[in-house]
Amino acid sequence: MARFNETNLATAHEIIARYPRPKSALIPLLHLAQEQDGYVTDEAMRQIADLVGVTPAEVIGTGSFYEMFRFEPTGRYLINICGTMSCALLGASDLLHAAERTLGIHAGGTTADGMFTLHQAECQAACTEAPCLQVNYRYRFRMTPDGVEQLIDDLRAGRLDDEIPPHGTLARVRQHIPADRGVGAVDPDAVDGPPAWIPVTVEGAGS
Amino acid sequence: MSDYAWAPGFVAGDRPRIVTSRFEHEDSYTLARYEATGGYAGLRAALARPAADVHEEVRASTLLGRGGAGFPAGVKWGLTPQGVFPRYLVVNGDESEPGTYKDRLLMERDPHQLIEGCLIACYAAGLSRCFLYIRGEMALAQERVATALNEAYAAGYIGKNILGSEFSVDIVLHWGAGAYVVGEETALIESLEGNRGMPRLKPPYFPAAIGLYGKPTIVNNVETLSNLPWIAHHGAAAYTSIGTESSPGTRMVAVSGHVRRPGVYEIVNGTTTFRDLIYGDEFCQGIRDGNELKAFVPGGGSAPWFLPDQLDLPFEGRLVGAAGSMLGSGAIMVMDSTTDIPSAALTLTKFYAHESCGKCVPCREGGTWLMRILERVVEGQGTQDDLDLLLEVGGSICPGSMPHAASSELGLEATPFPYRMTTICFVGPSAYVPVHSALTLFRSEFESRVAPSRSKTRIPVTAIGGER
Ligand SMILES: Cc1cc2nc3c(=O)[nH]c(=O)nc-3n(C[C@H](O)[C@H](O)[C@H](O)COP(=O)(O)O)c2cc1C
Ligand code: SF4
Ligand code: FES
């Protein structure tokens, strides 16, 4: 499956409608594609290009700027081990080595069974809980090499399936703006006066 | 360890709390808990007054931006050009500066407080649509904010005619995809427009003039906005009665590294000293294993380093600036006597070199050069010449004198912040800052690592660029 399924296509249209310009939905739609397929396929990029009104080249040109998008098959679990200052000071490299040893791959690689991709990552905004890591962007704090081994074991055995969805899924709750409550995305060039709660000044300009 | 298992890292203590007041409740992120603890009272108070009055109240509170630059929020809102509409609010929830941990906690633990803050800002400054940009790697924060937005729409706090008033605004959740530089406000706007997140050329200096879709746009940090419900409810006078005149209120600070109790603390602004924070019983309780303090980074990875000489400075922007560094995003990283200084500098330089967006040559090339030279010094392959070369390459990113701390041992006087720079944003200089600090304050550790100058010709630097 590479094009959006019916549910996701509806979600894609809902997302696009929130922005005054459809191109703003580009990154959220790339996430949606990655959620559906585990990575961003060429076919998905072509469809996104059509949906937001840009060329496929722009989609990959923009998408490849951002580190979270993967353009090739990726492990069901992406393990990101933080290697920045606070974690480095407290043994981040031991975590990475433990993961490499346990998985039998180097950072950057994917296991042959397609279960795990391992990366060294950058500061995860959890520096007081160093050293830390994320599995599919879910945290593990104050980790030890033994803890890494145990985590991999648990993931492999499916013991964390409830907490950690497959790679590509971020928030499991989406925003929905109810039709009767939303103000709607207005074309910025079609607005020429102040919003209703801002009094128009003497010159008629609004403050 | 954390005071509350559900707020990892957070330590409450016995201090005034403005933005973390609900953290002891395990369900602090729900609308029910928020309403039961005074939630949305600030919004109601704001809507009862003309927008201009609310703006004036925030101006009077001297609420300083918490994203890094410390610019007063009320002043920033006033920089939008007269009569140009629509105006937008973009919330900067891209927290990724090394050492920084507070915005994620605020989004996960009290998303309604942030939402209420956004609503008050939009009302006061006449902003008709809000985009809440959360860092891509923060799945739980996205989930909590999405849930809170859905609840708040259903309850009539967001959308058309909020609480029966004329005030109508949508808040749209947006999320990134991994790029540190996107935290820079113009890069954030580019990213929100669906482009690569590269900072825009300045001028205009503020997106308040020309921002999202070319329209006036206010960019504010998550913590900045999270203060607004309290200010709108209790008033500017109550706010300025906490902290100091130039730095009122409270502030979130994360202290990490080699301390006994690393943590996120809400501190009284402007008066708490680095010694309090690192050694105080209610804070980090000293250096781990009874070791000595060697150095600390006072304001996130981009900030010049401090020595034990600076411990008695309060956590206050102007004083820290005069002492040669900055407070930035409220992140202290502590290094004890066991720290290998060149390696520590390398982890930071690597970060910024890696995160260069590539738009300016001094950052793109210079950052990589600094990283490569430092790597070979750390690996014991460098020479004396390399140390000078580091300063020379750094000088092409930041010409002139660099800020640094005073040292009684080295007989150094402080050079105040800021520096000059040849790049569009601070990523380029930030790759140089740790190198400069480490070399200035700990040169002997480098000298003992490198071979004497080999010859008059320098060893060429290989593999420049290529990698992003
Ligand atoms: C390279 C770079 C990264 C930044 N990252 C962030 C960030 O992650 N979060 C943030 O709020 N501000 C960040 N800033 C500061 C923003 O540009 C901007 O000043 C801030 O969001 C304004 O909000 P405030 O006035 O409420 O502080 C960054 C600045 C630079 C130069
Ligand atoms: S300084 Fe670096 S990150 Fe900033 S705009 Fe220039 S190249 Fe990009
Ligand atoms: S340095 Fe690892 S989370 Fe910040």
Side-chain angles (χ1 to χ4, degrees), chain A residues 65, chain B residues 180-182 184 186-187 197-202 352-353 355-365 397 421-430:
Chain A
F65 180 86
Chain B
Y180 162 74
V181 66
V182 163
E184 196 276 346
T186 59
M198 292 177 160
R200 290 180 178 170
L201 268 172
K202 285 132 192 113
Y352 295 105
E355 290 300 332
S356 171
C357 80
K359 196 163 175 171
C360 338
V361 178
C363 170
R364 184 181 65 221
E365 300 297 328
I397 305 172
M421 57 201 245
T422 57
T423 54
I424 298 174
C425 85
F426 293 95
V427 173
S430 300

Side-chain angles (χ1 to χ4, degrees), chain B residues 116-459:
Chain B
E116 188 181 353
C118 297
L119 294 168
I120 294 167
C122 288
Y123 179 73
L127 318 173
S128 55
R129 202 166 184 79
C130 170
F131 298 92
L132 208 165
Y133 191 121
I134 303 182
R135 180 174 170 186
E137 290 95 332
M138 297 177 174
L140 180 61
Q142 293 157 21
E143 212 159 281
R144 290 272 167 84
V145 172
T147 308
L149 286 169
N150 290 345
E151 286 176 318
Y153 264 103
Y157 292 116
I158 321 179
K160 268 188 262 189
N161 301 108
I162 293 169
L163 299 175
S165 72
E166 273 190 310
F167 175 47
S168 301
V169 74
D170 278 331
I171 301 182
V172 175
L173 174 60
H174 188 91
W175 58 115
Y180 162 74
V181 66
V182 163
E184 196 276 346
E185 56 193 6
T186 59
L188 193 72
I189 288 170
E190 282 291 322
S191 183
L192 192 48
E193 289 183 359
N195 301 321
R196 282 182 259 182
M198 292 177 160
R200 290 180 178 170
L201 268 172
K202 285 132 192 113
Y205 291 98
F206 283 105
I210 300 175
L212 184 65
Y213 312 123
K215 300 296 175 187
T217 302
I218 299 298
V219 180
N220 270 138
N221 167 265
V222 165
E223 185 189 343
T224 315
L225 293 162
S226 295
N227 276 282
L228 293 173
W230 197 95
I231 294 172
H233 186 189
H234 300 274
Y239 189 77
T240 53
S241 73
I242 304 170
T244 64
E245 198 182 335
S246 58
S247 301
T250 63
R251 161 152 208 184
M252 299 275 279
V253 179
V255 194
S256 61
H258 294 154
V259 285
R260 289 183 55 202
R261 188 173 66 170
V264 185
Y265 303 91
E266 180 167 1
I267 66 170
V268 171
N269 218 350
T271 55
T272 315
T273 66
F274 290 103
R275 188 183 299 283
D276 296 336
L277 282 163
I278 295 174
Y279 289 95
D281 267 355
E282 53 173 326
F283 299 104
C284 294
Q285 305 175 344
I287 307 297
R288 63 155 190 193
D289 304 334
N291 290 349
E292 295 287 309
L293 171 66
K294 192 167 187 176
F296 60 100
V297 186
S302 305
W305 298 6
F306 274 174
L307 296 169
D309 290 52
Q310 282 79 41
L311 274 174
D312 291 312
L313 276 173
F315 199 85
E316 202 281 325
R318 286 183 210 175
L319 295 171
V320 167
S325 190
M326 62 164 190
L327 290 188
S329 49
I332 301 174
M333 292 182 280
V334 177
M335 293 171 260
D336 74 5
S337 44
T338 67
T339 309
D340 180 54
I341 292 288
S343 306
L346 177 60
T347 62
L348 286 174
T349 296
K350 219 182 204 164
F351 175 89
Y352 295 105
H354 179 76
E355 290 300 332
S356 171
C357 80
K359 196 163 175 171
C360 338
V361 178
C363 170
R364 184 181 65 221
E365 300 297 328
T368 312
W369 274 59
L370 290 172
M371 179 178 82
R372 294 259 186 264
I373 303 166
L374 197 53
E375 257 166 5
R376 79 183 172 215
V377 169
V378 166
E379 285 160 13
Q381 308 291 315
T383 70
Q384 191 70 37
D385 293 330
D386 284 335
L387 306 186
D388 299 329
L389 189 56
L390 283 170
L391 297 175
E392 193 182 317
V393 173
S396 69
I397 305 172
C398 299
S401 62
M402 278 295 277
H404 64 76
S407 161
S408 49
E409 197 183 317
L410 301 169
L412 275 181
E413 303 251 345
T415 304
F417 208 77
Y419 41 68
R420 290 171 57 212
M421 57 201 245
T422 57
T423 54
I424 298 174
C425 85
F426 293 95
V427 173
S430 300
Y432 180 45
V433 160
V435 177
H436 182 268
S437 282
L439 260 174
T440 307
L441 306 174
F442 298 96
R443 187 154 179 126
S444 61
E445 288 198 31
F446 289 85
E447 306 257 344
S448 62
R449 260 311 222 291
V450 295
S453 177
R454 267 185 221 164
S455 67
K456 290 209 178 63
T457 45
R458 287 207 184 102
I459 302 166

